[in-house]
Amino acid sequence: MKGLLETREVHSPSLESNPLGDPARRRLTVYLPPGYAEGDRRYPAVYFLHAFGNSGGSWTNASGFAPTVPERLDALIESGAVPPVVGVFPDGWTSLGGSQWINSDAIGRYRDYLAKDVVGFVDRNFRTLPKAASRAVLGHSSGGYGALVMGRYHPEIFSHLGAHSADAYFEYCYLPDLPKAVGALLKSGGIESWQTEFRQRVRETKMRGDDFPVVNTLAMAAAYSPKKGEPLNLELPFDAQTGRVKLDVWNRWLVHDPVRFVPKFLDSYRKLKTLFLDCGTRDEFNIRWGTRMLAEDLKSSGVELVHEEFEDGHSGVSYRFARSLSVLLPKLSLE
């Protein structure tokens, strides 16, 4: 790799005293392009948001066959396909598996952590161009969802946005997991007993395939339907005995669905200079359809959008970052 990766630690005031007791001091991986150390030039910055179940360190997990995303970014810069940029890889891991990059009373203020603490730290400690036109944010799955959240709330911070297979149209991407979660929780005796057994087991062996629907449901409930006083400070969107969907709680989830909130905040998305959406045609969480709905609404509203589909599933598609970076980074302001 021609550029360099540096590891720093960010102390986040936004994450202090978070409900899960997760650390407020986080590792931050930063990619510095070739030539960064030789001068005083300032660079645009691109922020990468990881998926649910991952952490900031997952970006550098090397495969024996495929390059990492930092290596893909480095190759694009080296080839001249994109301008030199600073790459930022923040850590949004929580003890429930992820944060959705939002502020939640059950998880913590992860939107503020990114938009205020991480961006502020990077601009103070690296030679970045501290303005929205010179910043991009992109991610995959829950990271893509987080990028859409940044577009909704913070177009004054990020002018360029990329969302790969972002959680959208919750009826398709989350609802199928709910009956599986009902059964597992009922069998184990509830949230707390399931969580105790799960944490012990994954420390001693590994996560099973049938764990994911429960892990995902608990984390999404903590993000979308927090409720103090309940186990894990969250309210599940179904009855624990019958599995009947609780419409009042489910509707609280739907408020956070991009298919619902993007059309309500089109003025924010119109402020973006570039927006990239994609999803695989074989996405196992049915996100292809939510992505199509978002693209339809955004295009009809005059938002500058590139929407693509590709023949693949949900996981193992980090190669698609080469495409989104090729679209977004040439649009970044270089001064």
Side-chain angles (χ1 to χ4, degrees), residues 11-62:
H11 177 76
S12 170
S14 299
L15 297 185
E16 290 178 355
S17 302
N18 66 80
L20 295 174
D22 290 327
R25 184 170 291 277
R26 297 297 177 105
R27 184 175 75 168
L28 183 71
T29 301
V30 179
Y31 167 85
L32 301 176
Y36 180 90
E38 276 81 60
D40 58 3
R41 174 183 174 183
R42 289 190 170 273
Y43 295 85
V46 54
Y47 289 73
F48 294 85
L49 308 186
H50 61 74
F52 178 77
N54 290 338
S55 67
S58 60
W59 294 104
T60 55
N61 290 341

Side-chain angles (χ1 to χ4, degrees), residues 8-221:
R8 300 287 185 94
E9 280 197 346
V10 178
H11 177 76
S12 170
S14 299
L15 297 185
E16 290 178 355
S17 302
N18 66 80
L20 295 174
D22 290 327
R25 184 170 291 277
R26 297 297 177 105
R27 184 175 75 168
L28 183 71
T29 301
V30 179
Y31 167 85
L32 301 176
Y36 180 90
E38 276 81 60
D40 58 3
R41 174 183 174 183
R42 289 190 170 273
Y43 295 85
V46 54
Y47 289 73
F48 294 85
L49 308 186
H50 61 74
F52 178 77
N54 290 338
S55 67
S58 60
W59 294 104
T60 55
N61 290 341
S63 162
F65 300 99
T68 65
V69 170
E71 289 169 340
R72 293 183 189 279
L73 173 61
D74 188 71
L76 287 169
I77 293 171
E78 178 68 13
S79 71
V82 303
V85 297
V86 171
V88 185
F89 301 86
D91 179 25
W93 167 260
T94 76
S95 52
L96 291 179
S99 65
Q100 295 300 95
W101 304 95
I102 67 174
N103 293 343
S104 162
D105 290 340
I107 298 175
R109 301 196 331 265
Y110 282 82
R111 173 166 62 86
D112 291 347
Y113 155 69
L114 175 63
K116 297 178 181 179
D117 304 337
V118 174
V119 171
F121 177 89
V122 169
D123 285 344
R124 288 191 303 272
N125 289 275
F126 298 93
R127 296 196 315 275
T128 54
L129 291 161
K131 59 181 182 178
S134 299
R135 291 194 200 100
V137 59
L138 67 165
H140 170 255
S141 193
S142 288
Y145 177 90
L148 292 171
V149 168
M150 291 302 128
R152 169 182 175 175
Y153 287 104
H154 297 296
E156 82 287 357
I157 296 176
F158 302 102
S159 283
H160 310 271
L161 187 158
H164 295 276
S165 309
D167 300 12
Y169 204 58
F170 289 0
E171 289 93 333
Y172 286 177
C173 69
Y174 294 151
L175 206 54
D177 275 347
L178 298 192
K180 301 173 187 176
V182 176
L185 293 172
L186 186 63
K187 182 179 180 181
S188 68
I191 291 174
E192 291 170 315
S193 57
W194 186 90
Q195 190 81 347
T196 299
E197 186 276 332
F198 168 74
R199 286 180 173 172
Q200 180 178 349
R201 176 163 48 78
V202 294
R203 282 196 301 268
E204 295 174 354
T205 56
K206 64 179 182 179
M207 187 171 170
R208 298 192 307 242
D210 58 355
D211 288 328
F212 182 80
V214 188
V215 172
N216 193 56
T217 298
L218 294 179
M220 298 310 141

